[in-house]
Amino acid sequence: MQHHRRHTGSDRELTMRDVARRAGVSASTVSRVVNDDRYVGAATKLRVERAIEELGFQPNRLAQRLRHGRATETVALVIEDVANPFYSAIAEGVDSVARANRHMLILGTTRRTAQEERHVLEELLRRRVDGFLIVPSSQQHLDLYDRIARSASMVFVDRRPPGIEADAVVLDNRGSARRAVEHLIGAGHRRIAYLGGASTVHPGKGRLAGYRRALAGAGLPADDRLVRLGNHDAAAARDAAVELLAADPAPTAVFADNNRMTVGLLNAIRRTGHRVAVAGFDDLELAELLSLPLTLVTYDPTALGRRAAELLFARINGAAGPPRRITVPTTMITHEA
Amino acid sequence: MQHHRRHTGSDRELTMRDVARRAGVSASTVSRVVNDDRYVGAATKLRVERAIEELGFQPNRLAQRLRHGRATETVALVIEDVANPFYSAIAEGVDSVARANRHMLILGTTRRTAQEERHVLEELLRRRVDGFLIVPSSQQHLDLYDRIARSASMVFVDRRPPGIEADAVVLDNRGSARRAVEHLIGAGHRRIAYLGGASTVHPGKGRLAGYRRALAGAGLPADDRLVRLGNHDAAAARDAAVELLAADPAPTAVFADNNRMTVGLLNAIRRTGHRVAVAGFDDLELAELLSLPLTLVTYDPTALGRRAAELLFARINGAAGPPRRITVPTTMITHEA
DNA sequence: CTGTTAGCGCTTTCAT
DNA sequence: ATGAAAGCGCTAACAG
């Protein structure tokens, strides 16, 4: 491997022994001062504190944790990527609760691949983080989830891998999607397309089911040519939407199953000039300023992260009991043009 | 059902000794297998690997790092919060480079307060992260920055605290803002307001300077009543903008100095119905779909994080030499209504 | 009150 | 090729 000593001074890290020497005490005394032990003489304490200050000493948390057992005071959030506002909102919610519980947040991104997810989870296991908040990218890691649950705390966010008993915070995907599509039907639409992202994971499945249920409930036929799944970003969604809009007969409305899909759809509408009614899952920051009517299933995405982190810290702090499941409520908002 | 026995002091962590016992070898041999040492018998290696597999053992990185010196293979990103798309884009860029360099990313949020920033930086120092990517929230921590530079690698992002020599990745705030305001002037505007966020940190200062320079260059008076600073989020910006638009004589154009300001301004315009020309710093995802004309200073915010992380890893990998400064280029985009 | 000692889980000589 | 032993920086008995 590589050696690289930095800047001035020696190779070795600044340690309690160095502080001890400078203050003319033993390392234990330094430790006592650092940990606010009651049994330290006032004068000694002062000398040690001055030495710490002068040297700019910070105790090594790795050594501290290694010594007195578990608890790295770190929780991990495992998501696909942090550029998507949905995930960054979750991260924000988690972060606020983590900081309130004096833990730091480590970010693991899976880039939507099962392989990366396994890699990230194993590394986090090695790092002995106290808790895992996971938005699962795949359903292939039940063995790992099991191992995680055995040595740490774990909460699933937005998606629940089937066959695992664990705390989770989710949305009512099916019901919310169904209501949005029923809204379109109520406005007179009969040919309603579905523009979807990942179809293998849970929320997509639920939303699609809600869409189908709404159609069935109104006695409308399910035309598979109007369903486009597997679009992983806004650009893919836009291209798929352009094709959808060009179908013959064309749909008069489209339901987009997440924020990336809605953005892609809106871009397709702008590009083709082909106007359709739009409903979508997730909020958009400037929704009320757009020049077209829009129905959105909205909710507080930071609450997803916040509630999940609250469940997690309850476990970390020793809560026992069966798995809990929390559903974050959604609303439907209609924006006029 | 699962058992939720946790923190029950009695259960020790799974260790190499446990694996060793099960495989009938010594801990040293397990270590050799884990670290792909050449000098291990094929049969032994197999036995050890099976024991690892069966027990679900993962080596403790804390102990590994403690033993063989520095390098926690962790870098920290210190930002105000991760909900703001500007910061989450930076995080995305950093994360992509960090993962390519086999490091994990730890997130430190300052909530825009100097106190929290100090707290976070000290904690990161204790955790011995290898590198710091910092968007400074204040200018009060030169001592800490100094200490960080001495024991780790450090790169500033978006802002450079004065009086410290370190790598940094920034934008041309002054020039970009100036060009945007000149664009408004070129369109005939004479009363141009300035809607700004934090005014104590660098980018805001530069953008304000660019605004003033553009006015001065066109021989326009600088009317302080048209300058509103210190709006820390979109809601505050909206309220300030409502007041600005109600001024007498009212501005005919407004320059918003970051994405939060632009969002607030657009909301104010929608709410009051008072139409003004808008220019803003930062891109907006749905800018081209808005129903009003808009000039934006855009750039790739993930590049800010990416380039900064590249500088950081160059240092981590031993690069010496004087501080480097990189400026990420901006463009100006005009959206018609 | 303070110092000495042992050892957290791991890696690394040094023997064999 | 493998094991024994020392020690990374720190804390927790145990003495005194």
Side-chain angles (χ1 to χ4, degrees):
Chain A
M1 296 312 291
Q2 57 196 337
H3 273 252
H4 68 281
R5 62 213 51 180
R6 201 180 307 290
H7 309 263
T8 55
S10 65
D11 221 2
R12 255 201 342 89
E13 165 176 355
L14 192 63
T15 167
M16 281 193 179
R17 295 253 291 270
D18 301 315
V19 177
R21 197 177 355 263
R22 187 174 241 266
V25 297
S26 78
S28 328
T29 301
V30 176
S31 171
R32 290 194 182 95
V33 171
V34 162
N35 295 300
D36 268 325
D37 191 297
R38 288 160 302 183
Y39 307 113
V40 195
T44 324
K45 185 172 175 182
L46 227 68
R47 283 216 316 288
V48 171
E49 284 174 339
R50 235 194 31 205
I52 288 177
E53 181 60 34
E54 289 168 355
L55 294 173
F57 169 77
Q58 296 277 9
N60 185 331
R61 277 247 186 280
L62 279 69
Q64 287 183 322
R65 294 315 157 204
L66 182 61
R67 175 62 232 239
H68 86 291
R70 313 278 278 83
T72 50
E73 283 166 12
T74 308
V75 296
L77 173 63
V78 179
I79 56 182
E80 296 185 350
D81 68 90
V82 69
N84 186 330
F86 172 69
Y87 293 117
S88 61
I90 291 176
E92 170 70 15
V94 169
D95 179 72
S96 68
V97 176
R99 87 189 290 84
N101 284 272
R102 306 236 185 93
H103 280 234
M104 296 224 89
L105 177 60
I106 190 162
L107 213 62
T109 54
T110 67
R111 310 282 152 182
R112 222 184 300 108
T113 76
Q115 194 193 7
E116 292 274 3
E117 181 176 8
R118 174 165 289 272
H119 174 77
V120 161
L121 291 174
E122 285 179 337
E123 179 59 26
L124 291 168
L125 227 26
R126 286 190 282 269
R127 287 170 183 243
R128 303 293 190 261
V129 301
D130 302 327
F132 289 73
L133 276 323
I134 307 178
V135 182
S137 288
S138 72
Q139 305 187 358
Q140 311 176 19
H141 301 316
L142 301 191
D143 59 322
L144 261 181
Y145 297 148
D146 223 65
R147 225 148 73 200
I148 291 171
R150 213 164 304 150
S151 66
S153 303
M154 176 177 73
V155 176
F156 288 107
V157 188
D158 186 50
R159 311 168 187 174
R160 267 171 3 93
I164 208 137
E165 291 293 312
D167 291 346
V169 178
V170 295
L171 299 169
D172 174 15
N173 293 302
R174 198 181 134 103
S176 306
R178 178 180 171 183
R179 278 189 296 282
V181 174
E182 285 173 348
H183 174 83
L184 292 172
I185 295 171
H189 295 283
R190 291 294 170 268
R191 281 185 66 75
I192 302 171
Y194 186 97
L195 185 61
S199 53
T200 53
V201 290
H202 231 74
K205 274 188 181 150
R207 293 169 196 180
L208 182 57
Y211 160 83
R212 292 208 162 114
R213 190 74 179 71
L215 294 189
L220 295 176
D223 185 345
D224 278 351
R225 289 167 305 176
L226 291 182
V227 176
R228 305 295 291 251
L229 303 176
N231 307 293
H232 285 307
D233 55 35
R238 185 199 57 214
D239 296 345
V242 166
E243 288 184 32
L244 270 178
L245 298 181
D248 183 26
T252 64
V254 182
F255 176 73
D257 88 347
N258 70 46
N259 62 1
R260 305 294 80 202
M261 300 303 106
T262 309
V263 168
L265 173 58
L266 292 174
N267 276 315
I269 290 172
R270 173 167 162 281
R271 185 175 284 206
T272 62
H274 189 126
R275 294 239 149 185
V276 290
V278 174
F281 216 105
D282 298 333
D283 204 355
L284 297 178
E285 180 162 65
L286 295 171
E288 68 272 30
L289 295 166
L290 297 177
S291 43
L292 46 150
L294 195 54
T295 295
L296 294 177
V297 174
T298 72
Y299 55 93
D300 179 1
T302 65
L304 229 38
R306 211 167 41 236
R307 304 300 304 274
E310 284 163 2
L311 285 184
L312 186 72
F313 280 104
R315 294 295 186 191
I316 286 176
N317 294 325
R324 293 190 53 190
R325 185 168 349 163
I326 291 179
T327 300
V328 168
T330 63
T331 353
M332 201 171 67
I333 295 187
T334 296
H335 297 283
E336 311 299 335
Chain B
M1 279 314 264
Q2 305 190 51
H3 302 271
H4 285 274
R5 75 200 144 72
R6 208 180 307 287
H7 295 186
T8 48
S10 52
D11 55 357
R12 255 202 336 94
E13 167 177 352
L14 192 64
T15 168
M16 280 192 177
R17 295 254 291 270
D18 301 315
V19 177
R21 199 180 352 267
R22 187 173 240 266
V25 297
S26 78
S28 324
T29 301
V30 176
S31 171
R32 291 194 180 96
V33 171
V34 163
N35 295 301
D36 269 328
D37 191 298
R38 285 160 302 182
Y39 306 114
V40 194
T44 324
K45 184 172 176 182
L46 227 69
R47 283 215 316 289
V48 171
E49 283 173 340
R50 233 193 34 203
I52 288 177
E53 180 60 34
E54 288 167 356
L55 294 173
F57 169 76
Q58 297 276 9
N60 186 331
R61 277 246 187 278
L62 279 68
Q64 288 183 322
R65 294 315 159 204
L66 182 61
R67 172 63 232 237
H68 85 293
R70 316 276 277 81
T72 50
E73 284 167 9
T74 307
V75 295
L77 173 62
V78 179
I79 56 182
E80 296 186 350
D81 69 89
V82 68
N84 186 329
F86 172 69
Y87 293 117
S88 61
I90 290 176
E92 170 69 16
V94 169
D95 178 73
S96 68
V97 176
R99 89 189 288 83
N101 284 271
R102 306 240 183 92
H103 280 235
M104 295 225 88
L105 177 59
I106 189 161
L107 214 59
T109 55
T110 68
R111 310 282 152 184
R112 224 184 301 108
T113 77
Q115 194 193 8
E116 293 274 5
E117 180 177 8
R118 173 166 290 271
H119 174 79
V120 161
L121 291 175
E122 285 179 337
E123 179 59 27
L124 291 168
L125 228 25
R126 286 191 282 271
R127 287 170 184 243
R128 303 291 190 264
V129 301
D130 302 327
F132 288 75
L133 274 325
I134 306 177
V135 183
S137 288
S138 73
Q139 304 186 2
Q140 311 174 19
H141 301 318
L142 301 190
D143 59 320
L144 261 181
Y145 297 148
D146 223 64
R147 225 150 72 203
I148 291 170
R150 212 164 305 149
S151 67
S153 303
M154 175 176 74
V155 176
F156 288 108
V157 189
D158 187 49
R159 310 168 188 174
R160 265 170 5 93
I164 208 139
E165 290 293 311
D167 293 345
V169 178
V170 295
L171 299 169
D172 174 15
N173 293 301
R174 198 181 133 101
S176 307
R178 179 179 171 183
R179 278 190 295 282
V181 176
E182 284 174 347
H183 175 82
L184 293 172
I185 295 172
H189 294 283
R190 291 295 171 266
R191 283 184 66 75
I192 304 172
Y194 185 98
L195 185 61
S199 53
T200 53
V201 290
H202 230 74
K205 276 187 181 154
R207 292 168 197 181
L208 183 57
Y211 159 83
R212 293 208 161 115
R213 189 76 179 72
L215 294 188
L220 295 175
D223 185 345
D224 277 351
R225 289 167 305 176
L226 292 182
V227 176
R228 306 295 292 250
L229 304 176
N231 306 293
H232 286 306
D233 56 37
R238 185 199 57 214
D239 296 345
V242 167
E243 289 184 32
L244 270 178
L245 298 180
D248 183 26
T252 64
V254 182
F255 176 74
D257 89 346
N258 71 46
N259 62 2
R260 304 294 81 200
M261 299 303 106
T262 309
V263 167
L265 173 58
L266 293 173
N267 277 314
I269 289 173
R270 173 167 161 281
R271 185 174 283 204
T272 63
H274 189 125
R275 293 239 149 184
V276 290
V278 174
F281 216 105
D282 297 333
D283 204 356
L284 298 178
E285 180 162 66
L286 295 171
E288 68 272 31
L289 295 166
L290 298 176
S291 45
L292 45 150
L294 194 55
T295 296
L296 294 176
V297 174
T298 71
Y299 55 92
D300 180 0
T302 65
L304 228 38
R306 213 166 41 233
R307 303 300 304 274
E310 285 164 359
L311 285 183
L312 185 72
F313 280 105
R315 296 293 186 193
I316 287 176
N317 293 326
R324 292 189 53 187
R325 186 171 344 163
I326 291 179
T327 300
V328 168
T330 63
T331 352
M332 199 170 69
I333 296 187
T334 296
H335 297 286
E336 310 300 336

